[in-house]
Amino acid sequence: MNKFIAIPTVVLLGAIGISAFAHPVQAAQIKNLQLEFTNDKSTTLPSPYELDSTKKSEVEESIFTEEPYFKEVKFLKLDEPQSLSERIDRLMFGIKTDVPPEYDVYGYEMRRYMAGIGDANRITDIEFLTTQLVNVKKAEIILQYWEKALRAEMDAIEQIIEEKNETSSVRSTYKYNRGVVNAFLTEAKYWTLNNRKMLQYLIDIGPKVYRYESSTQTVFFKTNQNVREFNNIYTAKILALKEIREYM
């Protein structure tokens, strides 16, 4: 029996607002935040992965060296699970268990909408930022549907476990997977929220207040307040990315 059936849905990654590249593109990073029109190093704040040397390698690994690439896919649907154990295992699909994009409807769609946000070269482009803000909000909606589906499935699994008085092994596996799912949902919300905050902040202050210099990978701001505020937001964004990369 064929394990998969097709759903006639095609996602076109070249759609407006989605960052999709035919070839790998070097990702522009932010390494420093600095006050404009000064060489005073006391006004320079390094980006988060340089703040703590013990954490530097961990967070550096979470930063994309190339812009994420997504190809066109046709989503497929898995056949119904054949056992309770299979249902428990599937809770991890797209979270800790890698699945091909065509079977990862929620996770793939989230990544797709979040893909272009980290392009530092375009952070002064208000139209780009506005489009990415819309994409983040779409990703948040997808996450809400994903959470709803996962929680409904976990409720159903728990009911079966109690009704059939399942073994301690099954209960233990379910308890572990449920814990991972709950942790993932928390981190995913933090990830999308902090990206949304960063985009909204840049839109609110406007490109007249800041600029990006690609040669030094530095963002220059006109006031110390902007340096501090953006540093707090950007730090939260990068640390959230680090955490979500543990799953996705």
Side-chain angles (χ1 to χ4, degrees):
M1 181 184 239
N2 188 358
K3 192 174 182 181
F4 307 115
I5 59 176
I7 302 177
T9 303
V10 178
V11 178
L12 300 177
L13 299 183
I16 295 175
I18 304 303
S19 181
F21 302 92
H23 303 286
V25 176
Q26 186 71 27
Q29 300 178 13
I30 297 174
K31 288 196 171 182
N32 297 286
L33 311 176
Q34 187 170 323
L35 185 63
E36 187 70 279
F37 308 124
T38 180
N39 291 318
D40 182 0
K41 295 302 180 183
S42 66
T43 65
T44 301
L45 293 173
S47 59
Y49 61 87
E50 293 178 342
L51 291 177
D52 182 349
S53 60
T54 62
K55 296 290 184 181
K56 180 177 178 180
S57 60
E58 293 179 34
V59 182
E60 275 186 322
E61 289 175 2
S62 72
I63 306 295
F64 292 104
T65 56
E66 293 179 349
E67 293 292 350
Y69 167 72
F70 292 89
K71 63 181 181 179
E72 180 181 332
V73 299
K74 179 192 290 185
F75 286 121
L76 304 175
K77 183 178 179 180
L78 290 165
D79 282 345
E80 292 299 314
Q82 300 300 305
S83 67
L84 179 60
S85 292
E86 187 176 351
R87 289 181 74 170
I88 293 172
D89 289 342
R90 287 190 186 186
L91 292 173
M92 308 292 273
F93 280 14
I95 298 176
K96 280 292 189 180
T97 302
D98 288 336
V99 290
E102 57 267 31
Y103 308 123
D104 186 19
V105 178
Y106 295 111
Y108 187 83
E109 284 289 85
M110 278 190 65
R111 296 181 189 89
R112 187 170 74 91
Y113 280 113
M114 298 291 286
I117 294 171
D119 187 355
N121 279 323
R122 301 185 67 185
I123 65 171
T124 58
D125 182 342
I126 291 297
E127 183 178 353
F128 169 78
L129 295 175
T130 302
T131 298
Q132 295 308 318
L133 184 60
V134 171
N135 288 339
V136 171
K137 292 177 179 179
K138 289 179 180 178
E140 289 177 316
I141 292 172
I142 292 167
L143 181 59
Q144 291 172 8
Y145 279 102
W146 195 358
E147 179 176 16
K148 183 178 180 180
L150 285 169
R151 296 211 180 281
E153 181 65 358
M154 289 190 292
D155 287 345
I157 289 172
E158 287 177 12
Q159 184 175 346
I160 294 172
I161 287 176
E162 294 306 317
E163 288 176 351
K164 295 189 174 182
N165 193 24
E166 286 290 348
T167 65
S168 59
S169 176
V170 170
R171 290 174 183 270
S172 179
T173 300
Y174 169 70
K175 184 177 180 180
Y176 173 80
N177 287 5
R178 181 186 63 191
V180 172
V181 168
N182 286 332
F184 165 75
L185 291 171
T186 298
E187 297 295 349
K189 291 174 186 177
Y190 187 61
W191 176 48
T192 55
L193 172 64
N194 282 288
N195 275 278
R196 175 159 53 85
K197 284 182 176 180
M198 182 193 73
L199 292 167
Q200 190 63 64
Y201 181 79
L202 293 173
I203 291 170
D204 288 345
I205 65 174
K208 291 183 179 179
V209 177
Y210 68 93
R211 67 182 177 86
Y212 176 68
E213 187 175 284
S214 59
S215 61
T216 58
Q217 298 181 311
T218 300
V219 181
F220 292 89
F221 293 92
K222 289 190 176 179
T223 72
N224 267 318
Q225 180 181 349
N226 292 138
V227 174
R228 291 192 300 270
E229 289 174 345
F230 185 77
N231 181 68
N232 290 336
I233 295 170
Y234 188 70
T235 297
K237 167 199 164 10
I238 293 300
L239 294 179
L241 174 62
K242 172 187 174 295
E243 294 301 323
I244 205 67
R245 291 288 300 276
E246 296 293 324
Y247 300 96
M248 303 172 74

